[in-house]
């Protein structure tokens, strides 16, 4: 569908060139009243060439805009889901793959201002061809630190070899409450398991399966039992700032462990998405470089074809700076045309992807308007940059030689 949309836009681009270019050039034509209309008509003289020149920029910006919408929607969905599901006041984590040192949870439990501590670990789990990193936590800790909605079965069924499965996995695998399964958990094979409950797909628990910590301790040697995250809920009436100071004192010997409140933890969930998006943006910027070269080549060819016309304009009094402005407006018109179509296409693709992934947990559509405005403004800068060489060449053209060469 995405490829079909891109092809359709490329086909329609020559038809859209005239109305779009007239709109984007209108402000510049009002400022440069002498050469602005000439530049506009030059850009519209060959709409197919203008559309072809802008196609590289259009595709590049469409991909960037589409990824921006998808990435922002992922972050918004994760943050919204975690904010709704998390009832803890603080989260202790390292921010890396390193675990939270074992003494941390024990020390926190002894604080008088702490009501509950949820130690969340992970363990490899496989059932047939299904593989996941299951979350290991006590049912009582889940109830006190998370708003986990169990749709079938009971939360307190999480004990021993009973496991909880999220709705998406249960539907995909055909599992139901009470089903007996056999799987590989941690270091043990052929472990008997029972589906104790099916919970609504959760953003707080990244895993598709939750196991009891007693099973976690059974299938892993003590040296491999570590906490990935520690969730802390304050006692009723406790001062959260005092509790934060106490938690900071506990983790002070462990430089890698940070203390985050609920808002900070929710915000941090989008950091990994930003890192991936930034990498993709850098790769897509190469398409912008190609677009600049394409605009430069087209303008250089256009200036060469209009040698006599440029000579006539100079002969009737058009100044060098006006000639530079005229070529620059042509370049900006081409780049702005590509940007408008590209951003519109990207927003459409990003929205379609988000809607198609609602069932996978991408429930919130978020449009990064700041990024959209930056792309449109950047397209203008691309046009100005691409116009430098052709504009200077046109401005420096000798009037008599220009008229003679084309005679």
């Amino acid at each position: 569908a995405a490829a079909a949309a891109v092809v359709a836009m490329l086909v329609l681009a020559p038809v859209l060139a005239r109305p779009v270019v007239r709109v984007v050039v209108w402000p510049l034509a009002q400022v440069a009243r002498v050469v602005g209309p000439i530049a506009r008509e030059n850009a519209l003289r060959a709409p197919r060439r203008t559309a072809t020149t802008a196609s590289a920029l259009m595709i590049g910006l469409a991909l960037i805009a589409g990824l921006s919408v998808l990435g922002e929607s992922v972050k918004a969905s994760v943050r919204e889901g975690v904010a709704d599901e998390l009832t803890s006041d603080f989260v202790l984590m390292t921010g890396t793959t390193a675990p939270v040192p074992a003494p941390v949870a024990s020390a926190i439990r002894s604080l008088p201002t702490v009501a509950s501590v949820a130690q969340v670990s992970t363990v490899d789990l496989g059932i047939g061809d299904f593989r996941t990193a299951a979350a290991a936590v006590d049912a009582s800790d889940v109830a006190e630190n998370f708003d986990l909605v169990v749709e079938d079965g009971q939360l307190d069924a999480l004990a021993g070899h009973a496991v909880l499965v999220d709705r998406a996995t249960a539907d995909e695998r055909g599992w139901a409450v009470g089903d007996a399964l056999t799987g590989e958990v941690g270091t043990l094979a052929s472990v008997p398991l029972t589906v104790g409950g099916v919970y609504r797909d959760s953003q707080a628990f990244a895993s598709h399966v939750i196991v009891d910590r007693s099973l976690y301790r059974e299938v892993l040697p003590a040296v491999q039992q570590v906490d990935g995250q520690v969730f802390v809920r304050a006692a009723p009436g406790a001062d959260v700032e005092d509790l934060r100071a106490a938690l900071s004192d506990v983790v002070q010997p462990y430089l890698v462990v940070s203390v985050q409140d609920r808002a900070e933890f929710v915000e941090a969930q989008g950091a990994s998405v930003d890192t991936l998006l930034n990498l993709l943006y850098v790769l897509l910027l190469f398409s912008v470089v190609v677009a600049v070269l394409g605009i430069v080549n087209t303008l250089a060819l256009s200036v060469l074809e209009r040698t006599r016309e440029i000579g006539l304009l100079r002969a009737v009094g058009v100044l060098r700076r006006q000639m530079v402005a005229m070529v620059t407006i042509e370049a900006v018109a081409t780049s702005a045309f590509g940007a408008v179509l590209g951003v519109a296409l990207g927003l459409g693709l990003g929205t379609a992807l988000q809607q198609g992934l609602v069932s996978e947990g991408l429930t919130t559509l978020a449009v990064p308007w700041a990024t959209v405005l930056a792309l449109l403004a950047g397209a203008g800068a691309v046009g100005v940059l691409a116009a430098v060489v052709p504009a200077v060449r046109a401005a420096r053209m000798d009037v008599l030689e220009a008229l003679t060469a084309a005679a």
Side-chain angles (χ1 to χ4, degrees):
V6 173
V7 172
M9 187 63 79
L10 290 174
V11 172
L12 291 174
V15 178
L16 297 173
R18 291 188 179 278
V20 174
V21 169
R22 289 186 184 279
V23 171
V24 299
V25 173
W26 183 83
L28 299 176
Q30 298 306 305
V31 175
R33 291 184 176 275
V34 176
V35 296
I38 298 176
R40 179 189 59 210
E41 295 307 315
N42 286 337
L44 295 175
R45 183 179 299 180
R48 186 171 298 277
R49 174 189 287 183
T50 300
T52 302
T53 304
S55 61
L57 184 63
M58 182 191 74
I59 294 173
L61 295 186
L63 292 175
I64 293 175
L67 285 174
S68 298
V69 172
L70 185 61
E72 199 67 23
S73 298
V74 169
K75 291 191 293 183
S77 298
V78 170
R79 289 167 179 165
E80 184 178 301
V82 173
D84 290 343
E85 297 169 12
L86 184 64
T87 59
S88 298
D89 293 293
F90 295 99
V91 182
L92 280 67
M93 56 189 299
T94 63
T96 66
T97 56
V100 177
V104 170
S106 300
I108 293 174
R109 289 184 189 277
S110 65
L111 296 176
T113 53
V114 171
S116 174
V117 177
Q119 298 170 252
V120 179
S121 307
T122 58
V123 60
D124 291 335
L125 180 146
I127 301 174
D129 59 353
F130 174 74
R131 294 289 185 274
T132 189
V137 66
D138 289 329
S140 59
D141 294 337
V142 173
E144 294 173 352
N145 291 273
F146 302 93
D147 185 14
L148 188 71
V149 179
V150 180
E151 297 179 336
D152 296 322
Q154 299 293 327
L155 175 60
D156 56 13
L158 182 65
H161 285 208
V163 301
L164 302 181
V165 183
D166 69 3
R167 171 57 64 189
T169 302
D171 291 345
E172 179 184 352
R173 312 298 299 190
W175 295 339
V177 174
D179 285 355
L181 308 171
T182 301
E184 302 171 5
V185 188
T187 59
L188 300 183
S190 302
V191 178
L193 302 171
T194 303
V195 178
V198 177
Y199 60 92
R200 182 184 301 168
D201 295 350
S202 170
Q203 297 288 359
F205 287 95
S207 175
H208 300 292
V209 178
I210 303 175
V211 303
D212 185 57
R213 288 191 71 83
S214 63
L215 176 60
Y216 173 75
R217 289 188 289 268
E218 176 185 336
V219 300
L220 287 178
V223 294
Q224 296 183 22
Q225 297 174 19
V226 295
D227 298 328
Q229 297 169 324
V230 177
F231 296 84
V232 181
R233 187 168 186 176
D239 187 292
V240 292
E241 292 303 322
D242 290 343
L243 175 56
R244 180 166 194 152
L247 295 175
S248 298
D249 290 340
V250 170
V251 302
Q252 185 176 9
Y254 312 101
L255 300 179
V256 296
V257 182
S258 63
V259 179
Q260 298 178 340
D261 61 25
R262 188 185 309 167
E264 292 170 339
F265 176 72
V266 169
E267 186 66 25
Q269 300 312 296
S272 58
V273 178
D274 286 331
T275 301
L276 177 60
L277 286 178
N278 290 335
L279 176 60
L280 293 175
Y281 290 158
V282 171
L283 295 176
L284 289 174
L285 283 178
F286 285 106
S287 66
V288 177
V289 175
V290 173
V292 172
L293 295 177
I295 297 174
V296 170
N297 290 335
T298 300
L299 282 178
L301 179 61
S302 179
V303 168
L304 181 62
E305 291 175 345
R306 303 198 319 260
T307 299
R308 185 168 183 268
E309 178 184 324
I310 292 173
L312 288 172
L313 289 173
R314 294 282 288 118
V316 299
V318 174
L319 304 176
R320 291 181 185 273
R321 58 182 176 81
Q322 291 177 311
M323 189 60 62
V324 170
M326 184 184 73
V327 177
T328 301
I329 291 173
E330 288 183 50
V332 171
T334 302
S335 61
F337 168 67
V340 169
L341 294 191
V343 169
L345 178 61
L347 292 178
L349 292 176
T351 301
L353 286 172
Q354 182 273 327
Q355 292 297 314
L357 294 173
V358 168
S359 61
E360 301 297 324
L362 200 61
T363 55
T364 303
L365 173 64
V367 178
W369 293 111
T371 301
V372 170
L373 294 177
L375 291 176
L376 295 175
V382 166
V384 173
L385 178 63
V388 172
V389 175
V392 170
R393 180 177 180 181
R396 291 182 176 179
M397 193 175 294
D398 183 87
V399 176
L400 294 179
E401 289 184 0
L403 293 171
T404 305

